[in-house]
């Protein structure tokens, strides 16, 4: 199933300035003001980390990190965020193997159990909608750390924070979003986030087979963001503020053959492409992992932020979000 889940009106609890105790399932819960609240606190968290200042803000709080899919950044940054703030984590990676899921326990029972031990659950799952289902049964807040090809809202917090820190605004920006719009949950959430601000345009560069579904394209355009689909590097506008490259989501495809064909038709950032189509002020982003997206020869370019500020901002924004959700800020 490729279509981005569209949440029926009323099915998601809006944040509306009050984060305490809320599930974080979709970018659709946020207003621009909610995002700025996270960013203001993320800046404080950044100062705290850079000063190596100890914090007890989350002392006594235990957060379950329940990851049914592999992760480096999301898992690592959530674990670091809780610990940097003096809290503790209950780490369950691969619950199918290391928990009673292996014995046939239902998803709902597993969520109820970990909800009983902790103050919040951070959940990654291969199925779209899994975080919403977890939120229905858990008695603690559930944070969606990526549900299949649906959404990855906390990735978007760090992505928007990175863009905001660079340009000082989130409106009237032009972005190139390349790779796998069909399956990339980071793109699905990022477009929703950019649509909260006026005057934004995104160019989607992908092989034909990895375009957004027509239904999703129309639904996202109806939010007011301009979305232009392009099919070759020659069409990349040279005045983009940011490039955001995503890998082809191999795990969402039906066969290795299909992946190899799509990989052969996909696009890669190289020093030559940057020299030809990018301006000096833009930033180059990638949610990572980097698989065929960006030539390592680009890493030393000062515009490449994916292994620098973008990755660090994942820690600061997740520290901020946890503090808000747990009612400590
Ligand atoms: N960007 C991201 O979600 O990376 P991980 O899959 O390593 O968490």
């Amino acid at each position: 199933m490729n279509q981005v889940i569209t949440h029926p009106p009323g099915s998601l609890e809006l944040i509306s300035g009050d984060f305490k105790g809320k599930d974080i399932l979709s970018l659709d819960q946020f207003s621009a003001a909610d995002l700025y609240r996270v960013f203001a606190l993320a800046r404080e968290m950044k100062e705290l980390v850079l000063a190596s200042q100890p914090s007890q803000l989350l002392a006594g709080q235990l957060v379950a990190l329940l990851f049914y899919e592999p992760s480096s950044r999301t898992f690592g940054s959530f674990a670091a965020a809780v610990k940097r703030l003096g809290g503790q984590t209950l780490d369950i990676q691969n619950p199918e193997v290391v928990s009673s899921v292996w014995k046939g326990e239902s998803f709902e029972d597993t969520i109820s159990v970990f909800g009983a031990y902790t103050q919040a659950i951070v959940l990654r799952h291969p199925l779209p909608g899994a975080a919403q289902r977890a939120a229905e049964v858990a008695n603690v807040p559930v944070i969606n750390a990526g549900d299949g090809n649906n959404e990855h809202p906390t990735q978007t917090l760090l992505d928007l924070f990175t863009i905001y820190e660079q340009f000082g605004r989130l409106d009237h920006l032009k972005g190139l979003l390349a790779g796998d719009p069909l399956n990339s949950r980071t793109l699905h959430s990022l477009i929703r986030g950019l649509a909260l601000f006026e005057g934004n345009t995104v160019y989607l560069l992908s092989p034909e087979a990895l375009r957004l579904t027509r239904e999703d394209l129309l639904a996202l355009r109806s939010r007011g963001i301009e979305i232009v689909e392009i099919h070759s590097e020659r069409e990349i506008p040279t005045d983009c503020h940011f490039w955001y490259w995503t890998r082809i989501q191999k795990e969402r495809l039906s066969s290795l053959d299909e992946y190899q064909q799509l990989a052969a038709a996909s696009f890669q950032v190289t020093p030559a492409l940057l020299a030809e189509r990018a301006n000096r002020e833009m930033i180059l982003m990638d949610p990572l992992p980097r698989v065929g997206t960006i030539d390592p020869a680009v890493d030393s370019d000062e515009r490449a932020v994916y292994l620098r500020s973008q990755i660090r901002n994942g820690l600061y924004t997740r520290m901020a979000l946890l503090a808000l959700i747990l009612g400590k800020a």
Side-chain angles (χ1 to χ4, degrees):
M1 195 199 66
N2 290 117
Q3 191 191 331
V4 182
I5 290 181
T6 48
H7 304 280
S11 70
L12 282 172
E13 193 174 16
L14 300 181
I15 292 164
S16 300
D18 181 13
F19 287 79
K20 188 176 176 184
K22 300 248 169 91
D23 303 303
I24 299 297
L25 307 175
S26 166
L27 242 292
D28 286 346
Q29 295 170 264
F30 288 80
S31 64
D34 295 327
L35 292 172
Y36 288 134
R37 175 82 184 97
V38 175
F39 299 161
L41 192 54
R43 281 190 175 146
E44 290 179 30
M45 297 299 176
K46 180 176 177 177
E47 281 172 26
L48 195 135
V49 171
L50 293 181
S52 300
Q53 209 176 310
S55 168
Q56 290 301 309
L57 199 62
L58 296 187
Q61 304 288 309
L62 182 59
V63 176
L65 306 181
L66 190 54
F67 276 59
Y68 286 76
E69 262 190 355
S71 167
S72 300
R73 280 145 295 276
T74 314
F75 183 87
S77 60
F78 265 114
V82 175
K83 288 167 183 165
R84 287 272 189 185
L85 293 175
Q88 292 178 293
T89 59
L90 186 55
D91 303 344
I92 314 289
Q93 284 180 294
N94 304 315
E96 307 88 331
V97 183
V98 302
S99 78
S100 284
V101 174
W102 184 80
K103 295 180 246 173
E105 182 173 71
S106 71
F107 175 68
E108 287 79 2
D109 284 1
T110 304
I111 293 296
S112 297
V113 168
F114 288 106
Y117 297 147
T118 62
Q119 273 83 34
I121 297 174
V122 178
L123 176 74
R124 170 165 289 189
H125 199 281
L127 292 180
Q132 188 149 21
R133 179 66 192 132
E136 284 160 12
V137 295
N139 57 358
V140 295
V142 172
I143 299 177
N144 182 2
D147 60 330
N149 64 358
N150 179 32
E151 280 211 59
H152 196 347
T154 64
Q155 176 71 41
T156 295
L157 295 182
L158 76 96
D159 292 336
L160 290 177
F161 183 57
T162 302
I163 296 168
Y164 186 52
E165 290 278 87
Q166 182 69 24
F167 298 104
R169 67 177 200 275
L170 286 169
D171 57 285
H172 299 93
L173 295 169
K174 261 189 196 179
L176 170 68
L177 311 182
D180 188 350
L182 183 65
N183 296 302
S184 170
R185 56 196 176 201
T186 68
L187 286 185
H188 299 163
S189 290
L190 182 56
I191 296 171
R192 284 160 189 254
L194 289 167
L196 290 172
F197 301 88
E198 271 188 18
N200 287 328
T201 303
V202 291
Y203 294 81
L204 302 187
L205 173 65
S206 74
E208 182 87 7
L210 294 178
R211 294 184 308 164
L212 283 173
T213 66
R214 299 304 82 186
E215 207 173 344
D216 286 338
L217 179 65
L218 291 177
L220 291 168
R221 273 184 178 152
S222 74
R223 293 162 184 246
I225 186 167
E226 192 169 338
I227 303 178
V228 182
E229 293 184 312
I230 58 175
H231 308 289
S232 85
E233 290 111 324
R234 290 188 308 280
E235 296 175 85
I236 300 173
T238 53
D239 58 349
C240 280
H241 296 91
F242 59 92
W243 289 8
Y244 189 97
W245 231 265
T246 61
R247 72 185 169 90
I248 295 175
Q249 300 275 303
K250 185 179 182 179
E251 64 274 37
R252 317 278 173 229
L253 301 175
S254 54
S255 70
L256 186 59
D257 260 8
E258 187 186 7
Y259 172 69
Q260 284 168 340
Q261 279 173 24
L262 289 167
S266 72
F267 305 93
Q268 198 192 28
V269 184
T270 59
L273 185 62
L274 267 186
E276 198 182 315
R277 307 301 311 171
N279 59 70
R280 288 310 312 169
E281 285 72 42
M282 58 82 77
I283 52 172
L284 175 57
M285 305 171 72
D286 184 330
L288 306 176
R290 166 169 44 178
V291 183
T293 52
I294 300 175
D295 181 342
V298 169
D299 292 359
S300 57
D301 190 303
E302 62 187 15
R303 295 167 291 182
V305 300
Y306 40 88
L307 292 172
R308 300 189 183 110
S309 58
Q310 190 182 2
I311 201 101
R312 289 192 294 269
N313 288 338
L315 174 62
Y316 311 142
T317 50
R318 287 173 175 132
M319 288 168 78
L321 183 70
L322 285 163
L324 289 165
I325 297 296
L326 294 169
K328 304 295 177 187

